[in-house]
Amino acid sequence: MKFDRASGVLLHPTSLPGPHGSGDLGRSAHRFVDWLAVAGQRLWQVLPIGEVGSGNSPYMSPSSFAGNVLLIDLHRLLAEGWLDPEHLDPVAGLQETRVDYPQVRAFRMQRLHQAGASFFARHRDPRHEDFDRFCEAERGWLDDYALFMALALDAHGRSWNEWDPALVRREPAALHTAAHDRHDEVRFWKFCQWNFRRQWNDLRAHAHRRGIRIVGDLPIFPALHSAEVWANQELFELNEQGRPLVIAGVPPDYFSATGQRWGNPLYRWPEHERRGFAWWVERLRALIGLVDIVRIDHFRGFAAHWEIPASEGTAINGRWCPGPGARLFDALTAALGKLPVIAEDLGVVTDDVVELRRRFELPGMHVLQFAFGDDARNPHLPHRCTPDAVIYTGTHDNDTAVGWWRSASPREQRFAKLYLGTDGHEIHWDLIRAASSSVAEFSVVPLQDVLGLDGAHRLNRPGVASGCWEWRMSWSQIRPEHAERLAGLSSVHGRCEISHAALDR
């Protein structure tokens, strides 16, 4: 799908300011949308908005359909009448500069349970009708998700393939008994998803009023410990006990000398194809209903994926195996029409990956931090970009621009200085300007680069199991010139409406 020329900022909602230990869908999220509009930005890119999984990663969610309940704005629940003011008083352990997930989860989940109990105690509350309509409309995924979350709580961290064998096999009698015995907890998780959806829809509507489109993120593989793998075991490479035979990852690359062993189960693509790729159709349909554009992570895995024996401790001894290729995207297009999709085609990109992306008119990605390691033929350099692309200074997996510059080799620095015409003292703005002026349809910049923050503010380090996904911004870091400079660049590079007042000063 061809997109209008635009620019945007990458910031996950958990990184927003707020009094309850992490960002959420409340006041700061709406304020950030307003700031984007003032800065001449027309895109807000987020990471997967599902619940976080192992290592607090949004790419290892326990559901491919559910929203992250930790993003629910507690002030909104107070306004609904389901919490008391004292419930929102901050407690020790909730930090302003990073997300301490254990502390945040304990605080927020207690308040969500209090709100749920209050809601269900008010039997005549007219909002029950809206809740019931939501549960019925979303039952295709919601029933399995809510039961999975209730069972996972009882299992105290054990993966679903270690539960009672009758539940692992999903025997109907065992599922019925489990749902009956855990009725209140199942209902609570549905209550949380109803609130997430209402708040997310309100935030998205506000973004649309300000001319902002939201770019979402779809991980190619679900986590093993997820409702979708548990409920659809025949679609994944699992043995009879629900244990993966082979797992996903990538071979040694820029980020890791031993590759990345993600641990996600791989698809049984022939079974997906036999069913007309119905699970994938519904998965993408659901996300398109929540965001305006979808970035599909690890797009090259549809052409071929790196298959690692589950017994291997690293990704080194894997092999490339063919994916579904065009057959999947033919089915998606037939069901959903032109796909508003960005293909994350980084890593080992072969001709079949490029052909697949272009056949379905999906923009690919360029990352400026990868551009200066060799010579003028590097595909990430702005002059090598094509219009059907999204160009980034860096992604959530990269260091910040300032952090990258400080660790770059002398040769990289010399190349970048010559190419960008800079002495490097404002390298973040040099990269932002290069991205903005390129022919790529979209230019996207992490907020850390707009603010000129160093590597201490990096969000993720691929292959590192702990300490990631924790960074938070503060409003005190944002100065008027940040919005002014972004708006000026986007204006003169045709990515937003031209500001003649700025040009005539």
Side-chain angles (χ1 to χ4, degrees):
M1 174 180 286
K2 180 174 174 54
F3 298 106
D4 295 334
R5 188 170 172 81
S7 58
V9 172
L10 168 60
L11 180 77
H12 197 52
T14 56
S15 294
L16 288 163
H20 301 133
S22 70
D24 55 37
L25 305 180
R27 299 168 187 169
S28 277
H30 289 253
R31 180 178 173 183
F32 183 68
V33 166
D34 294 337
W35 180 84
L36 287 171
V38 171
Q41 305 305 287
R42 294 163 57 194
L43 303 171
W44 178 10
Q45 182 169 334
V46 299
L47 304 182
I49 55 176
E51 176 68 277
V52 298
S54 61
N56 302 316
S57 171
Y59 292 90
M60 295 294 282
S61 177
S63 174
S64 297
F65 291 84
N68 184 356
V69 302
L70 300 182
L71 290 176
I72 294 173
D73 173 26
L74 299 180
H75 284 100
R76 171 83 174 265
L77 302 186
L78 171 66
E80 302 269 16
W82 302 328
L83 290 177
D84 296 328
E86 59 266 25
H87 290 147
L88 302 190
D89 292 339
V91 299
L94 300 180
Q95 302 183 35
E96 294 183 357
T97 59
R98 60 180 289 270
V99 182
D100 184 327
Y101 281 93
Q103 295 283 353
V104 168
R105 181 172 294 278
F107 179 88
R108 287 180 175 266
M109 293 308 298
Q110 183 182 34
R111 274 68 183 169
L112 290 174
H113 273 98
Q114 290 168 327
S118 178
F119 171 74
F120 289 116
R122 302 179 184 188
H123 302 291
R124 296 183 180 179
D125 191 323
R127 289 166 292 191
H128 277 267
E129 295 182 4
D130 187 59
F131 171 72
D132 291 339
R133 283 193 295 270
F134 170 80
C135 292
E136 179 61 29
E138 306 298 329
R139 64 181 306 177
W141 64 270
L142 185 61
D143 288 353
D144 283 325
Y145 159 79
L147 179 57
F148 177 87
M149 296 300 287
L151 290 168
L153 186 66
D154 288 348
H156 303 292
R158 289 182 293 119
S159 178
W160 64 264
N161 53 25
E162 298 176 358
W163 296 349
D164 182 280
L167 290 172
V168 172
R169 294 191 297 267
R170 292 180 55 83
E171 295 177 5
L175 294 178
H176 182 270
T177 299
H180 178 270
D181 292 347
R182 296 162 180 80
H183 173 267
D184 289 348
E185 189 68 15
V186 168
R187 189 173 61 169
F188 163 74
W189 287 105
K190 293 181 178 180
F191 167 78
C192 290
Q193 288 306 310
W194 173 57
N195 278 286
F196 174 89
R197 183 68 60 86
R198 293 191 305 148
Q199 292 188 13
W200 178 265
N201 287 345
D202 287 349
L203 177 61
R204 186 184 180 199
H206 179 63
H208 287 177
R209 287 192 294 269
R210 299 307 308 265
I212 309 295
R213 289 174 288 176
I214 296 179
V215 181
D217 198 313
L218 183 71
I220 183 173
F221 301 114
L224 171 63
H225 186 61
S226 65
E228 281 69 44
V229 176
W230 174 59
N232 300 278
Q233 296 171 44
E234 63 282 359
L235 295 178
F236 299 88
E237 294 287 0
L238 308 173
N239 64 18
E240 293 182 355
Q241 291 74 44
R243 302 186 185 281
L245 302 169
V246 289
I247 56 176
V250 291
D253 61 7
Y254 172 89
F255 292 111
S256 173
T258 58
Q260 297 177 45
R261 184 187 185 277
W262 296 336
N264 309 70
L266 292 170
Y267 295 110
R268 285 192 179 121
W269 284 120
E271 182 62 21
H272 280 268
E273 186 170 7
R274 190 183 71 80
R275 301 182 184 197
F277 298 103
W279 183 85
W280 261 97
V281 168
E282 292 310 310
R283 188 183 184 203
L284 186 55
R285 189 198 308 275
L287 187 52
I288 290 175
L290 296 175
V291 301
D292 303 292
I293 301 164
V294 176
R295 171 194 177 272
I296 298 185
D297 190 53
H298 196 57
F299 178 81
R300 74 101 51 246
F302 296 114
H305 55 269
W306 190 246
E307 179 183 280
I308 308 166
S311 58
E312 290 287 333
T314 73
I316 293 176
N317 295 320
R319 62 171 185 164
W320 289 110
C321 295
R327 300 188 302 278
L328 168 62
F329 286 89
D330 281 333
L332 293 172
T333 302
L336 305 173
K338 282 280 190 179
L339 302 177
V341 163
I342 296 166
E344 188 271 283
D345 56 348
L346 304 176
V348 181
V349 179
T350 49
D351 290 343
D352 55 345
V353 179
V354 176
E355 180 182 351
L356 180 63
R357 179 180 66 77
R358 289 178 175 169
R359 174 172 172 175
F360 293 93
E361 299 179 335
L362 310 179
M365 287 177 51
H366 300 274
V367 180
L368 287 179
Q369 287 190 29
F370 299 152
F372 304 103
D374 39 49
D375 58 29
R377 293 168 292 185
N378 187 301
H380 294 281
L381 287 166
H383 75 268
R384 296 295 306 277
C385 283
T386 55
D388 61 336
V390 185
I391 188 167
Y392 297 80
T393 54
T395 73
H396 64 276
D397 283 333
N398 292 100
D399 202 343
T400 67
V402 172
W404 163 77
W405 182 248
R406 291 175 179 174
S407 63
S409 68
R411 185 184 185 284
E412 282 182 294
Q413 290 194 356
R414 286 195 298 271
F415 187 2
K417 286 179 179 180
L418 285 170
Y419 190 93
L420 300 170
T422 180
D423 60 8
H425 82 282
E426 267 196 329
I427 190 63
H428 52 298
W429 281 108
D430 296 324
L431 293 177
I432 293 170
R433 184 178 299 105
S436 179
S437 63
S438 76
V439 298
E441 289 174 338
F442 289 165
S443 167
V444 177
V445 180
L447 183 66
Q448 294 97 315
D449 289 354
V450 177
L451 304 181
L453 300 177
D454 62 23
H457 302 268
R458 181 172 182 168
L459 184 62
N460 182 45
R461 297 176 184 271
V464 176
S466 62
C468 298
W469 316 107
E470 298 177 355
W471 177 75
R472 299 184 70 193
M473 61 164 280
S474 69
W475 289 116
S476 64
Q477 293 171 310
I478 296 181
R479 301 187 300 274
E481 59 264 29
H482 291 134
E484 292 170 3
R485 292 182 75 169
L486 274 183
L489 289 175
S490 295
S491 176
V492 298
H493 294 146
R495 297 186 182 277
C496 68
E497 186 173 338
I498 294 176
S499 173
H500 292 287
L503 295 176
D504 292 340
R505 286 177 186 167

